[in-house]
Amino acid sequence: MSALDISGKRMPFHQGRKGFLTSTSRQVTAILETSVTLQSLTDGELAETVRHATMLQAERRVATTDMDPLLRVTMAAVCEAARRVLGFTLHPNQVEAALDMTSRCVVEMPTGEGKTLSAVLTAVWLGLGGEGVHILTFNDYLADRDFRWMGPICRLLGRSTGCVTGAGSPLQRQEAYRADVVWLTAREAGFDHLRDGLALSPELLVQRPFHAAIVDEADSLLIDEARIPMVLAGGLEGEAESVALICQAVANLSGETDLLMDRNEQQVTLSDVGIGKMERLLDVENLYDGKAADLLARVHAALTARFLVRLDSEYIIRDGRILLVDPHTGRIAANRHWPVLLQEALEVKEGLAVGRNGRILGTVTTQHFLNLYPHLSGMTGTARTSAGEF
């Protein structure tokens, strides 16, 4: 396990117990030893321990040091709750990772080292103030899985939990965001943020002010998808660049020099060479200027349509219309459709009649959205190789 500080200054990686900083080593030992002493408590007494820590954290009657007693007791309680709920005894490297994430680090933990549990330790500590902690997973399935798997640990300690997926209604989302620990994807959080920006009254807001986020698969989200915008589009007529013109420009790009694909080939973006080429083809001075948000969103939709979304796998054409295919059943997904910009790009790609243009109602890149969280940390299996980019 190793860690990289992303709070604005660099710190060295430290590998495993051999590389512990002295204070970290003492903290890990103290937390694990304290967790053993908590085994004699009832569930109610264990929850009361965390509730008392919450009160002290709010009043901050105990001084913060590298051996913070509130941090020690809180994480020890989470370790004991995990033992009771899941039958797992946390290892030193999991506790070390949690401590690093409380200090705004990205930690490197290979598959199987238990980063999901480490995130819970960090989340319970960061959420003592009741401001809410978001654990950002790779997809809805993992968000729901981790919520069901790890949620009972938090609830045993008196911490409320929530889960936000694409299937949730505004009321369900609003309730979930009120929880102390929330599992969801960055995409869901980002689009809810954009929709809240259009709310006409405070009662319609689903999110609370952002406090802390723990990013799973941090290299994918913080690096691969950092510049890809999340776009909220409406069905109104707009004056954005012609879809056909943008798609024609994208067709002139070379996959070898102009494009960057993420590790799972689920996102595509422009390389520096590709950015220059698109700016020349579209006659725009700076594609990433905030004034070109509409155009940039349409470029990314055209890239996705041409290089990622596959005919007869993810969609079919029937009666001159594009219909989505459910990836789980292989059947037509009734009453579902692509986002308006991707829909238009696919229609151009397939030579179909293009529906009316959508107006961009809100947009934010993944990078700028995540910077809205005052506390940001993450986990990945490949942090060391991406240290410079982080």
PDB file of all heavy atoms in Angstrom, residues 167-168 282 299 309 320 346 371:
ATOM      1  N   ALA A 167     -31.741   5.085 -11.182  1.00  0.00           N
ATOM      2  CA  ALA A 167     -33.160   4.728 -11.077  1.00  0.00           C
ATOM      3  C   ALA A 167     -33.887   5.516  -9.995  1.00  0.00           C
ATOM      4  O   ALA A 167     -35.110   5.441  -9.887  1.00  0.00           O
ATOM      5  CB  ALA A 167     -33.298   3.233 -10.783  1.00  0.00           C
ATOM      6  N   GLY A 168     -33.168   6.297  -9.199  1.00  0.00           N
ATOM      7  CA  GLY A 168     -33.783   6.986  -8.081  1.00  0.00           C
ATOM      8  C   GLY A 168     -34.586   8.207  -8.505  1.00  0.00           C
ATOM      9  O   GLY A 168     -34.194   8.956  -9.399  1.00  0.00           O
ATOM     10  N   LEU A 282     -12.825  23.182 -36.899  1.00  0.00           N
ATOM     11  CA  LEU A 282     -14.056  23.875 -36.494  1.00  0.00           C
ATOM     12  C   LEU A 282     -13.881  25.385 -36.438  1.00  0.00           C
ATOM     13  O   LEU A 282     -14.830  26.104 -36.091  1.00  0.00           O
ATOM     14  CB  LEU A 282     -14.518  23.351 -35.124  1.00  0.00           C
ATOM     15  CG  LEU A 282     -14.885  21.869 -35.066  1.00  0.00           C
ATOM     16  CD1 LEU A 282     -15.221  21.463 -33.641  1.00  0.00           C
ATOM     17  CD2 LEU A 282     -16.040  21.544 -36.002  1.00  0.00           C
ATOM     18  N   VAL A 299     -18.665  17.878 -29.347  1.00  0.00           N
ATOM     19  CA  VAL A 299     -17.487  17.151 -29.838  1.00  0.00           C
ATOM     20  C   VAL A 299     -17.353  15.825 -29.107  1.00  0.00           C
ATOM     21  O   VAL A 299     -17.118  14.775 -29.718  1.00  0.00           O
ATOM     22  CB  VAL A 299     -16.216  18.005 -29.671  1.00  0.00           C
ATOM     23  CG1 VAL A 299     -14.965  17.146 -29.888  1.00  0.00           C
ATOM     24  CG2 VAL A 299     -16.225  19.172 -30.646  1.00  0.00           C
ATOM     25  N   VAL A 309     -19.715   3.698 -29.081  1.00  0.00           N
ATOM     26  CA  VAL A 309     -21.032   3.057 -29.116  1.00  0.00           C
ATOM     27  C   VAL A 309     -21.162   2.206 -30.373  1.00  0.00           C
ATOM     28  O   VAL A 309     -20.920   2.682 -31.486  1.00  0.00           O
ATOM     29  CB  VAL A 309     -22.147   4.123 -29.067  1.00  0.00           C
ATOM     30  CG1 VAL A 309     -23.501   3.452 -28.999  1.00  0.00           C
ATOM     31  CG2 VAL A 309     -21.955   5.027 -27.859  1.00  0.00           C
ATOM     32  N   GLY A 320     -36.081   3.667 -39.103  1.00  0.00           N
ATOM     33  CA  GLY A 320     -35.426   4.966 -39.141  1.00  0.00           C
ATOM     34  C   GLY A 320     -35.149   5.579 -37.791  1.00  0.00           C
ATOM     35  O   GLY A 320     -34.824   6.766 -37.701  1.00  0.00           O
ATOM     36  N   LEU A 346     -25.316  10.014 -33.141  1.00  0.00           N
ATOM     37  CA  LEU A 346     -25.553   8.679 -33.682  1.00  0.00           C
ATOM     38  C   LEU A 346     -26.424   8.744 -34.935  1.00  0.00           C
ATOM     39  O   LEU A 346     -26.221   7.983 -35.892  1.00  0.00           O
ATOM     40  CB  LEU A 346     -26.219   7.796 -32.621  1.00  0.00           C
ATOM     41  CG  LEU A 346     -25.307   7.314 -31.487  1.00  0.00           C
ATOM     42  CD1 LEU A 346     -26.130   6.675 -30.379  1.00  0.00           C
ATOM     43  CD2 LEU A 346     -24.271   6.330 -32.019  1.00  0.00           C
ATOM     44  N   ASN A 371     -13.472  19.229  -7.640  1.00  0.00           N
ATOM     45  CA  ASN A 371     -12.835  20.286  -6.854  1.00  0.00           C
ATOM     46  C   ASN A 371     -13.832  21.055  -5.992  1.00  0.00           C
ATOM     47  O   ASN A 371     -13.420  21.872  -5.159  1.00  0.00           O
ATOM     48  CB  ASN A 371     -12.104  21.262  -7.783  1.00  0.00           C
ATOM     49  CG  ASN A 371     -10.773  20.721  -8.242  1.00  0.00           C
ATOM     50  OD1 ASN A 371     -10.146  19.907  -7.559  1.00  0.00           O
ATOM     51  ND2 ASN A 371     -10.312  21.152  -9.396  1.00  0.00           N
TER      52      ASN A 371
END
